[in-house]
Amino acid sequence: MTTASPAAEAQPALLSVNNIEVIYDHVILVLKGVSLSLPEGGVVALLGANGAGKTTTLKAISNLLKTDRGDVTKGQIHFKGEQSNALSAADMVKRGLVQVMEGRHCFGHLTVEENLLTGAYTRGDGRGAISADLELVYKYFPRLKERRGSLAGYISGGEQQMCAIGRALMARPKVILLDEPSMGLAPQLVAEIFSIVTRLNREEKVSFLLAEQNATVALKHADYGYVLESGRVVLDGPAGQLAENADVKEFYLGFSGGGRVNFRDTKHYRRRKRWLA
Amino acid sequence: MLEMIYLDPLFAIEVVVSGLLSGIMYSLVALGFALIFKASGIFNFAQGAFVLFAALTLVSLIEGALFGVKLPLLLAAAVTLVIMVVYGMAVERLVLRPLINQSLIILFMATIGLNFFTEGFAQMLWGAQVKRLDLGIPEKPWEGLRLATGITLSVFELVAAAIAGVLVLGLTLFFSKTTTGRALRAVSDDNQAAMSVGIPLQHIWAVVWAVAGIIALVAGMLWGAKLGVQFSLSLLALKALPVLIIGGFDSIVGVIVAGLIVGASEKFAEVFVGPYFGGAIENWFPYVLATVVLLIKPQGLFGEKIIERV
Ligand SMILES: Nc1ncnc2c1ncn2[C@@H]1O[C@H](COP(=O)(O)OP(=O)(O)OP(=O)(O)O)[C@@H](O)[C@H]1O
Ligand SMILES: [Mg+2]
């Protein structure tokens, strides 16, 4: 296992992934032993380039791999101390772990409010509690309240991301797995969404596991980070240290030494140089 | 076609209204298809056979097929309801669930197989002879209406349309107002996203097939009483096809409206246009209409627009 942060060692992790292997279609080996842990109340970033295996890792945790014909063939995943490999996605949501999928996936033909309400599907605590949480979501995302009656298919990309996060919140989760929230959004919106993530973490005590290609933003808002490459964790550490790490700077933040390098150079280096190798 | 203008307007109204009344019953059959298509993307070819199965079961129970006890209509309907719900859920569990993630053509083939199995199974259980189903609704014209307006409509058609209308209204409310209905629409929009928020697909599909069974029962009762309970009930599927094309496979409202359009226009065409073609255009007219709609608006008049995600 990779070195865990002191904070993560002090208390048992809320979520821990231990050396998992994932195979698609019975033959395509995509994750080759990934381990990570998310402490209670933490915000952990999972970084990596296209195809590194971030989405696969998140879906392995939320048990959404089956519909993609993927299987966890080795290793264990524990959520709140319970081994969770054999549970269904619905069981995970009931236990307090929800994934916000890459590309938002709002229900396009349902209104924004109906989308939010579908998030409460697994709850059994009555209408009163659910409508109170609806108001809570609207407090964090006032724009969703303005658009509550619009079909989710016709709202902007930023609003859809908010809708997808709000929908996950309606399940009253302990953990949200957030897959590429910055995808296709203008920098200002990305900043807005990440600052709401930080608030949700502090005020609502939701822990986050964030998969991101945008390492700059992710490391700014996370306390700890893991770097994935070709299905392996190649680097991990406290977010501040990762942000200072020369390799991370070079490959994910676009810096080399003091100055910015252009994209072509970065790509050129990438083929030869490996993480920590 | 100038003669049309000289036709009795009351007669024209009568034709259109009675067309609308049988149109509601087309909507009912088509609704069974649309529901399953919407929730799981499967075109359930066997829906017509379900109608036959339901009607045969009902009649046989009334006639005393079960331990020789003749059940009264309402009790027989209740027992049939349970059988249809169980049958629908069993089909989902035993046939479709194992085929999950297979290509659509394979699923479609499976429902064709299911169609022939259901037809054969129903006739094996209950026999193949034509049976009469009497719901106790008189077939005679509604006198009050005829005296007041001069329009002749059959009481049976009015009652049947009212029953179908109530069912359709109930389903519409179910979809728009209940948690399960909303979950069902979510599943039909994006099934992995629905799973990601904790909606169990299997549960929703079981509900959908059970509801399809209930719709088949109501359609079987009404059509069985109208045409007699016989093998050809399962051909109602062919009547539903143009309705689905015109309304849009995934639109509940569309299917209802399209049923009305087909019912009214085929009657109208039969009576007023048919004579110019030597009659009997009722059977193929809806297909012509459906083809025209396909050419102009392939997703159907009310089919959901495919929303491009940003
Ligand atoms: N359903 C699938 N079947 C087969 N291979 C898959 C499937 N889904 C993903 N893969 C492969 O697994 C690898 C990891 O994909 P994954 O989506 O987890 O990466 P990612 O880090 O999320 O990338 P991105 O940043 O592009 O979202 C890729 O090589 C991809 O081609
Ligand atoms: Mg991804």
Side-chain angles (χ1 to χ4, degrees):
Chain A
M1 215 184 125
T2 48
T3 44
S5 72
E9 261 168 65
Q11 45 179 292
L14 183 57
L15 172 71
S16 72
V17 175
N18 205 333
N19 210 17
I20 58 166
E21 191 179 276
V22 168
I23 298 185
Y24 282 111
D25 277 323
H26 302 290
V27 288
I28 310 165
L29 177 63
V30 169
L31 295 190
K32 305 153 188 168
V34 168
S35 300
L36 56 86
S37 78
L38 172 66
E40 176 114 42
V43 178
V44 169
L46 187 60
L47 308 174
N50 274 322
K54 304 179 296 293
T55 298
T56 305
T57 307
L58 296 194
K59 285 187 174 175
I61 297 169
S62 59
N63 286 316
L64 283 173
L65 273 181
K66 247 176 242 123
T67 41
D68 291 336
R69 301 169 64 77
D71 252 319
V72 178
T73 48
K74 261 189 207 155
Q76 294 102 40
I77 299 168
H78 289 267
F79 177 54
K80 296 204 276 196
E82 177 192 17
Q83 165 127 13
S84 61
N85 299 33
L87 299 175
S88 70
D91 292 331
M92 295 307 285
V93 176
K94 274 183 215 146
R95 282 164 175 72
L97 182 143
V98 194
Q99 175 162 359
V100 176
M101 295 203 295
E102 182 177 330
R104 6 255 188 226
H105 288 266
C106 298
F107 303 118
H109 300 100
L110 272 62
T111 64
V112 167
E113 186 150 305
E114 285 175 329
N115 264 272
L116 297 177
L117 290 172
T118 58
Y121 184 86
T122 51
R123 288 171 58 169
D125 54 357
R127 264 163 208 261
I130 290 171
S131 48
D133 282 347
L134 197 59
E135 285 312 313
L136 186 79
V137 169
Y138 286 144
K139 188 188 100 189
Y140 283 98
F141 300 105
R143 282 163 69 172
L144 291 184
K145 188 162 193 174
E146 288 164 31
R147 314 237 35 196
R148 66 206 288 176
S150 318
L151 289 186
Y154 294 122
I155 61 179
S156 74
E159 288 162 347
Q160 285 184 347
Q161 188 63 63
M162 295 175 186
C163 179
I165 297 174
R167 186 175 68 182
L169 280 174
M170 289 300 293
R172 280 237 153 250
K174 296 281 293 174
V175 173
I176 292 181
L177 311 180
L178 195 48
D179 199 351
E180 308 251 8
S182 75
M183 196 168 96
L185 300 183
Q188 198 191 340
L189 262 174
V190 173
E192 186 180 336
I193 282 173
F194 271 89
S195 74
I196 294 173
V197 166
T198 303
R199 279 181 60 207
L200 289 170
N201 176 248
R202 298 215 177 110
E203 297 162 20
E204 306 300 325
K205 311 282 176 252
V206 181
S207 309
F208 283 87
L209 179 57
L210 301 165
E212 261 298 345
Q213 285 192 47
N214 185 339
T216 321
V217 184
L219 288 176
K220 208 165 99 193
H221 292 86
D223 354 287
Y224 200 84
Y226 294 83
V227 178
L228 270 182
E229 195 182 281
S230 315
R232 285 195 179 85
V233 174
V234 290
L235 191 63
D236 70 305
Q241 277 176 33
L242 279 186
E244 291 306 310
N245 180 290
D247 283 337
V248 176
K249 273 190 174 171
E250 197 174 321
F251 295 117
Y252 291 99
L253 307 181
F255 292 104
S256 157
R260 249 189 117 88
V261 291
N262 75 35
F263 186 60
R264 219 177 251 146
D265 290 340
T266 320
K267 239 187 165 168
H268 179 70
Y269 281 120
R270 187 177 290 181
R271 250 173 259 132
R272 298 190 206 148
K273 202 166 167 183
R274 316 228 94 216
W275 300 103
L276 304 179
Chain B
M1 266 179 256
L2 280 174
E3 293 96 305
M4 264 170 63
I5 295 163
Y6 302 109
L7 281 175
D8 180 1
L10 274 187
F11 180 56
I13 291 175
E14 203 175 291
V15 168
V16 170
V17 173
S18 99
L20 288 174
L21 294 178
S22 54
I24 294 180
M25 287 171 58
Y26 292 151
S27 307
L28 193 59
V29 179
L31 206 55
F33 286 90
L35 187 63
I36 290 174
F37 186 82
K38 203 170 157 53
S40 52
I42 297 171
F43 181 80
N44 176 28
F45 194 77
Q47 185 67 28
F50 276 33
V51 174
L52 172 69
F53 185 31
L56 267 178
T57 306
L58 181 68
V59 166
S60 306
L61 291 176
I62 292 172
E63 289 182 353
L66 201 68
F67 315 117
V69 188
K70 294 193 174 177
L71 300 181
L73 175 66
L74 280 182
L75 185 59
V79 174
T80 311
L81 183 78
V82 172
I83 293 176
M84 289 314 292
V85 166
V86 170
Y87 189 67
M89 288 166 74
V91 163
E92 188 276 320
R93 181 78 233 236
L94 301 174
V95 182
L96 294 151
R97 202 180 295 182
L99 292 177
I100 224 168
N101 293 337
Q102 297 291 342
S103 68
L104 285 179
I105 188 72
I106 292 179
L107 291 166
F108 180 59
M109 288 305 183
T111 68
I112 291 182
L114 180 65
N115 177 63
F116 290 112
F117 170 78
T118 306
E119 282 175 357
F121 183 59
Q123 296 185 357
M124 187 187 82
L125 278 182
W126 313 122
Q129 59 281 52
V130 180
K131 292 176 177 154
R132 240 181 64 76
L133 173 60
D134 184 6
L135 299 179
I137 310 167
E139 259 296 0
K140 60 181 199 309
W142 181 11
E143 279 306 320
L145 183 76
R146 199 177 61 83
L147 291 177
T149 63
I151 297 175
T152 317
L153 290 174
S154 114
V155 175
F156 178 83
E157 284 190 338
L158 283 167
V159 173
I163 293 174
V166 166
L167 183 72
V168 163
L169 193 70
L171 284 172
T172 310
L173 289 175
F174 170 69
F175 290 127
S176 57
K177 299 280 181 246
T178 68
T179 305
T180 308
R182 197 190 304 123
L184 196 149
R185 285 185 296 137
V187 168
S188 85
D189 244 13
D190 185 331
N191 60 66
Q192 202 178 39
M195 286 173 72
S196 81
V197 296
I199 298 171
L201 297 195
Q202 269 99 12
H203 175 78
I204 296 298
W205 284 333
V207 170
V208 166
W209 283 86
V211 173
I214 295 170
I215 293 175
L217 170 61
V218 177
M221 281 169 81
L222 300 180
W223 281 101
K226 191 174 161 133
L227 304 175
V229 176
Q230 54 184 320
F231 183 76
S232 65
L233 275 186
S234 95
L235 300 179
L236 279 173
L238 299 179
K239 272 282 188 223
L241 203 57
V243 174
L244 287 163
I245 294 171
I246 293 169
F249 279 79
D250 52 8
S251 166
I252 303 288
V253 179
V255 160
I256 295 163
V257 175
L260 296 174
I261 293 175
V262 166
S265 66
E266 75 173 15
K267 277 275 165 10
F268 195 83
E270 174 74 21
V271 174
F272 297 109
V273 187
Y276 300 92
F277 293 90
I281 70 171
E282 191 171 1
N283 289 323
W284 52 264
F285 181 77
Y287 285 91
V288 175
L289 209 58
T291 311
V292 172
V293 169
L294 266 185
L295 291 173
I296 300 167
K297 216 161 170 269
Q299 75 272 33
L301 295 180
F302 295 81
E304 284 178 345
K305 264 184 271 176
I306 294 154
I307 297 178
E308 289 290 339
R309 276 170 226 278
V310 196

